[in-house]
Amino acid sequence: MIKVAITGALGRMGSNIIKTLYNNPEDFKIVAAIDMPNHPKKGADVGELIGLGSIGVPLETSDNLDNVLKETKPDVLIDFTAPAPCVNTVKIASSNGVNLVIGTTGFTEEQRKEIEDNINKNNIAAVISQNYAIGVNIFFKTLEFLAKKLGDYDIEIVEMHHRFKKDAPSGTALRAAEIIQNNLNRDSKLIYGREGLVGERTKEEICIHALRGGDVVGDHTVIFAGDGERLELTHKASSRQAFVNGVVLATKFISQKKEGIYNTFDVLGLNE
Ligand SMILES: NC(=O)C1=CN([C@@H]2O[C@H](COP(=O)(O)OP(=O)(O)OC[C@H]3O[C@@H](n4cnc5c(N)ncnc54)[C@H](OP(=O)(O)O)[C@@H]3O)[C@@H](O)[C@H]2O)C=CC1
Ligand SMILES: O=C(O)C1=N[C@H](C(=O)O)C[C@H](O)C1
């Protein structure tokens, strides 16, 4: 039985993760659910707040995270919040020896380094992934192959998400670009959208276009455009359950690890 704490418990991802973990009592026990500091519903049953009915877990707030972790002693903390609160959560969780599953995106380079330094310094284990959907990880793996084989083609990335998404471009689009760049046999340069008299496209450009609107869960397309043809690789998430299913696997995986930083390729055995 894995004891789990969730930060961002009332959010789109956090609430769906709680529902799934609660429905798998043989594997998971939710010991803490945490959201915004000074939340007006602090102390209320989290299950009631997310439409699950009573689950006997009171809403805690992240200003009290250190005490909550000391009292509830989770094996794993799952974070789907925003960059600054996630960095703070990592510091507190790692100093309490709690392993992590991190899904938050939109970090600066400095924030990413701070997260990694804290995990390493405290000898805990963490999975960090910009996208927990199994299909997206196969999409990433396919991009390794396509970048090697179609390296001469012009490469563009298009992502679309719901109107509430705060970071752009998506973490998934940035990770896709990174994978492509690591597998291209030539120089490349990331750019973000185009406007004005942009002139002829250079071969080096990999341009990311971020679309926002409606309730789109998460669409990503990478276009390899050559002379007389183009190849488009698309993944579309139609339900957040796709991400949640990967989070469940990552939580089981990281509960068995002592230390180190892992990604979803490690969880899914895609490095072999
Ligand atoms: N890796 C992956 O597979 C996926 C990653 N994501 C990423 O996960 C993150 C969350 O996404 P989503 O669930 O849609 O976002 P939401 O805004 O729905 O959820 C975030 C939750 O965290 C809360 N929160 C904000 N600040 C704090 C804080 N200081 N302490 C505790 N809780 C806080 C928010 O409260 P409030 O609403 O009051 O601000 C909200 O309840 C994003 O970065 C997103 O890109 C999303 C889907 C999949
Ligand atoms: O905010 C979201 O919703 C999502 N965020 C992740 C990202 O930034 O890539 C993953 C997914 O696309 C949904």
Side-chain angles (χ1 to χ4, degrees), residues 8 10-13 35-37 62 80-81 85 103-105 129-132 165 167 243:
L10 302 183
R12 282 175 288 274
M13 281 300 295
D35 210 86
M36 283 290 272
S62 57
F80 281 80
T81 54
T104 297
T105 58
S129 177
Q130 293 85 347
N131 201 308
Y132 282 87
K165 184 164 175 60
D167 54 316
F243 312 129

Side-chain angles (χ1 to χ4, degrees), residues 41 43-50 53-59:
K41 297 284 186 189
D45 190 301
V46 169
E48 300 284 3
L49 296 176
I50 62 173
S54 173
I55 64 168
V57 179
L59 181 68

Side-chain angles (χ1 to χ4, degrees), residues 194-213:
R194 293 188 183 85
E195 63 174 4
L197 286 169
V198 292
E200 192 176 323
R201 186 193 200 286
T202 68
K203 181 63 70 191
E204 285 71 32
E205 291 172 14
I206 298 176
C207 187
I208 307 186
H209 310 266
L211 283 52
R212 294 287 175 269

